[in-house]
Amino acid sequence: ETNNKADLFIFKSPIFFGLLNNNLFNFIFIIIERIYHFLASLIIMRFKKIQLVHSNNGVYYPIVFASKINRIPVIAYLRSQPNKLTRMTKIASKNVNLFIAVSSAVKETYISEQIPNDKIKIVYDGIDVPTYLDNIQRAQLRNEFDFKNNDIVIGTVARLDDVKKGITYLIESAVDIIKTVPNAKFFIIGGNPKGLTLKSFLDRTNKLGFDQKIHFTGFRTDVLKLMQLMDIFVSPSLSN
């Protein structure tokens, strides 16, 4: 995708991993994918005359190595805590010019993986507080989703990926909280590309008898607006 005003190029690529339930085939696909990403980015960087590479949420070594060959500086944006960096990622990290971490915890995780302290800067995510303080819109939204004035709405925004986003833990906590605080309601914004996870969560809350207490919106494009109806925001993510 290109944006002439910002002179920006965003590289998106197909993901082969996970297409087959076979470890050997998946391993082969991973190798093919990495080679494809390296060659494609190498060509794109030269063709588009890229001057700076931004690696989102970590160090993706095929892109970093392509940047090294093209002598293009790399900034790696770090917003989650990996369990352990692979050998290839550690090698590629030596060619990253600057790491930007969203928190001290994320920075410390990368320092423990031998990333130099002076190469990592912390830039906290900014929050435009006035955006969430429209009381008129808040009242309208709470009415739209049938929340009463005395309801305590506890919400989150996340992709419905139970491996990383911890939605199951939020539901388990919700059950305990609702038993103690009857006017508590849970509002979960987010979807899943396949749609299967949303259905499984809906079935689970129905079986628990809390389908009227735990609301799933599915994928939404008006997240900022919907967050105004929340009283408490929770982040159950296991890695972000």
Side-chain angles (χ1 to χ4, degrees), residues 127-231:
I127 299 175
D128 186 10
V129 175
T131 304
Y132 307 94
L133 299 178
D134 188 335
N135 291 328
I136 296 176
Q137 190 172 60
R138 170 183 163 86
Q140 293 172 342
L141 287 168
R142 288 176 71 97
N143 183 61
E144 178 183 339
F145 286 92
D146 201 28
F147 291 128
K148 297 179 175 60
N149 290 334
N150 66 332
D151 283 341
I152 300 173
V153 180
I154 304 168
T156 192
V157 181
R159 183 179 72 254
L160 297 185
D161 175 354
D162 207 30
V163 175
K164 294 183 178 180
K165 301 304 180 181
I167 302 300
T168 291
Y169 298 112
L170 178 59
I171 292 174
E172 292 174 353
S173 300
V175 171
D176 291 334
I177 291 171
I178 291 169
K179 289 177 181 178
T180 306
V181 186
N183 62 326
K185 299 285 183 68
F186 284 78
F187 193 67
I188 300 172
I189 305 171
N192 182 283
K194 297 180 180 179
L196 300 175
T197 312
L198 176 58
K199 184 179 184 304
S200 68
F201 282 128
L202 289 172
D203 290 342
R204 190 180 309 176
T205 53
N206 286 336
K207 288 179 182 179
L208 290 170
F210 285 93
D211 53 301
Q212 298 301 312
K213 294 281 191 177
I214 303 174
H215 303 259
F216 290 89
T217 69
F219 177 78
R220 301 283 297 224
T221 58
D222 55 348
V223 173
L224 288 178
K225 182 178 76 171
L226 293 180
M227 287 182 68
Q228 294 187 71
L229 60 77
M230 300 179 189
D231 295 297

Side-chain angles (χ1 to χ4, degrees), residues 13-237:
S13 59
I15 304 259
F16 300 116
F17 177 69
L19 292 179
L20 299 174
N21 293 320
N22 182 292
N23 290 334
L24 177 60
F25 282 130
N26 276 332
F27 176 75
I28 293 172
F29 275 127
I30 289 173
I31 299 301
I32 294 173
E33 181 186 60
R34 299 300 189 267
I35 295 173
Y36 165 73
H37 287 175
F38 169 74
L39 294 175
S41 57
L42 189 68
I43 294 170
I44 289 169
M45 288 175 192
R46 291 184 179 179
F47 179 72
K48 293 290 182 179
K49 297 181 179 178
I50 302 299
Q51 295 180 323
L52 178 67
V53 171
H54 173 271
S55 180
N56 185 46
N57 198 26
V59 180
Y60 189 50
Y61 60 83
I63 307 297
V64 175
F65 290 147
S67 303
K68 177 67 173 178
I69 292 173
N70 283 319
R71 297 182 179 179
I72 301 172
V74 179
I75 294 176
Y77 179 64
L78 315 174
R79 56 185 172 83
S80 60
Q81 298 169 274
N83 293 326
K84 188 174 181 59
L85 297 184
T86 66
R87 183 179 179 183
M88 291 295 286
T89 300
K90 286 184 178 181
I91 294 172
S93 295
K94 295 178 181 179
N95 297 303
V96 174
N97 299 82
L98 176 66
F99 295 86
I100 297 178
V102 298
S103 68
S104 298
V106 171
K107 178 177 180 177
E108 292 301 322
T109 298
Y110 277 83
I111 289 176
S112 70
E113 293 289 332
Q114 285 74 56
I115 304 299
N117 176 62
D118 60 353
K119 289 185 71 174
I120 307 175
K121 305 299 180 183
I122 298 175
V123 179
Y124 298 106
D125 287 339
I127 299 175
D128 186 10
V129 175
T131 304
Y132 307 94
L133 299 178
D134 188 335
N135 291 328
I136 296 176
Q137 190 172 60
R138 170 183 163 86
Q140 293 172 342
L141 287 168
R142 288 176 71 97
N143 183 61
E144 178 183 339
F145 286 92
D146 201 28
F147 291 128
K148 297 179 175 60
N149 290 334
N150 66 332
D151 283 341
I152 300 173
V153 180
I154 304 168
T156 192
V157 181
R159 183 179 72 254
L160 297 185
D161 175 354
D162 207 30
V163 175
K164 294 183 178 180
K165 301 304 180 181
I167 302 300
T168 291
Y169 298 112
L170 178 59
I171 292 174
E172 292 174 353
S173 300
V175 171
D176 291 334
I177 291 171
I178 291 169
K179 289 177 181 178
T180 306
V181 186
N183 62 326
K185 299 285 183 68
F186 284 78
F187 193 67
I188 300 172
I189 305 171
N192 182 283
K194 297 180 180 179
L196 300 175
T197 312
L198 176 58
K199 184 179 184 304
S200 68
F201 282 128
L202 289 172
D203 290 342
R204 190 180 309 176
T205 53
N206 286 336
K207 288 179 182 179
L208 290 170
F210 285 93
D211 53 301
Q212 298 301 312
K213 294 281 191 177
I214 303 174
H215 303 259
F216 290 89
T217 69
F219 177 78
R220 301 283 297 224
T221 58
D222 55 348
V223 173
L224 288 178
K225 182 178 76 171
L226 293 180
M227 287 182 68
Q228 294 187 71
L229 60 77
M230 300 179 189
D231 295 297
I232 301 172
F233 180 86
V234 177
S235 179
S237 176

